């Protein structure tokens, strides 16, 4: 897809969500949706999905303490049975500058969200920026668990740098059917 198509769709995506928000939710989208989030959409989500359907930026959820938490993105397709939260984490804020209390809160929040039916998928900002193909392939694998018909993994994708560790663990790792069965790949 062309970058013009991305830009037009990205602008419409943000305008759509801004028009439906007010107060702190709107302010959070205006302030919180910054470089890392737009880079994720440009480098990872758009090349993989080609649309922003069912994707919600700066999605508010309540943590175990009853406090608002804004995930970078939530993908909520269908009737709400699937709830994926995406986080783009920079090294400084999420590792280098994190103290023990912040670290504990982050882990507790992710565990609580899991208990509430959300699956948190985190990507390193450095990978989103420098190795988006890795992020695309990992996200493709995650999404294929839920929608195998929408995000197929092809044999060519699996052949990239040898068999994936999951394929190697199957009973017939070198057979074409071994990986195809593991990833529901299409020939």
């Amino acid at each position: 897809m062309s970058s013009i198509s991305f830009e037009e769709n990205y602008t419409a995506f943000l305008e759509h969500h801004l028009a439906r928000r007010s107060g702190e939710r709107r302010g959070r989208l205006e302030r919180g949706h910054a470089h890392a989030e737009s880079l994720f959409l440009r480098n990872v989500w758009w090349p993989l999905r080609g649309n922003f359907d069912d994707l919600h930026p700066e999605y508010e959820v309540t943590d175990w303490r009853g406090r608002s938490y804004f995930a970078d993105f939530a993908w909520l397709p269908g009737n709400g049975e699937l709830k994926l939260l995406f986080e783009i984490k920079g090294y400084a804020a999420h590792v280098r500058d994190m103290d023990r209390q912040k670290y504990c809160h982050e882990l507790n929040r992710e565990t609580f969200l899991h208990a509430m039916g959300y699956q948190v998928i985190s990507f390193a900002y450095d990978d989103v920026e420098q190795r988006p193909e890795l992020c695309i392939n990992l996200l493709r694998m995650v999404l294929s668990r839920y929608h195998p018909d929408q995000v197929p993994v092809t044999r060519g994708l699996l052949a990239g740098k040898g068999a994936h560790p999951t394929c190697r663990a199957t009973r017939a790792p070198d057979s074409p059917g071994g990986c195809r069965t593991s990833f529901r790949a299409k020939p």
Side-chain angles (χ1 to χ4, degrees):
M1 307 241 166
S2 71
S3 62
I4 294 173
S5 182
F6 168 81
E7 291 299 332
E8 292 170 358
N9 283 280
Y10 175 66
T11 300
F13 169 71
L14 285 181
E15 288 173 359
H16 168 81
H17 286 279
L18 284 168
R20 285 158 180 71
R21 296 186 186 186
S22 61
E24 180 55 23
R25 288 174 185 88
R26 181 183 175 97
R28 184 58 190 229
L29 180 54
E30 291 170 336
R31 291 187 316 274
H33 188 81
H35 176 71
E37 293 79 11
S38 63
L39 194 66
F40 170 78
L41 292 178
R42 176 186 302 280
N43 288 0
V44 180
W45 189 267
W46 185 258
L48 179 62
R49 302 285 301 170
N51 63 60
F52 301 121
D53 296 350
D54 303 313
L55 193 65
H56 304 270
E58 296 300 322
Y59 186 76
E60 184 179 22
V61 291
T62 304
D63 72 9
W64 82 101
R65 301 169 293 176
R67 296 181 181 174
S68 288
Y69 159 71
F70 290 86
D72 291 336
F73 297 99
W75 189 55
L76 309 167
N79 59 7
E81 63 196 39
L82 177 60
K83 300 186 288 189
L84 298 180
L85 300 178
F86 299 106
E87 290 289 344
I88 295 70
K89 296 183 176 187
Y91 178 79
H94 292 277
V95 178
R96 188 189 68 207
D97 300 337
M98 186 175 278
D99 62 22
R100 288 180 179 274
Q101 184 178 18
K102 287 180 184 176
Y103 178 72
C104 290
H105 285 175
E106 184 163 337
L107 294 180
N108 290 337
R109 181 179 57 242
E110 288 182 5
T111 302
F112 176 80
L113 291 171
H114 184 76
M116 303 307 328
Y118 292 95
Q119 182 178 353
V120 179
I121 311 295
S122 298
F123 291 98
Y125 171 81
D126 291 346
D127 285 340
V128 169
E129 180 187 45
Q130 299 166 18
R131 300 186 318 162
E133 68 286 343
L134 171 63
C135 299
I136 290 168
N137 288 337
L138 292 172
L139 184 54
R140 178 182 284 119
M141 291 169 65
V142 169
L143 297 181
S144 71
R145 291 183 60 208
Y146 306 104
H147 296 282
D149 55 324
Q150 292 180 13
V151 189
V153 177
T154 65
R155 201 179 305 172
L157 177 70
L158 295 173
K161 291 185 178 178
H164 186 275
T166 302
C167 295
R168 285 187 230 123
T170 63
R171 60 185 169 82
D174 295 329
S175 72
C179 277
R180 191 167 47 253
T181 301
S182 297
F183 289 106
R184 299 182 190 130
K186 299 177 181 176

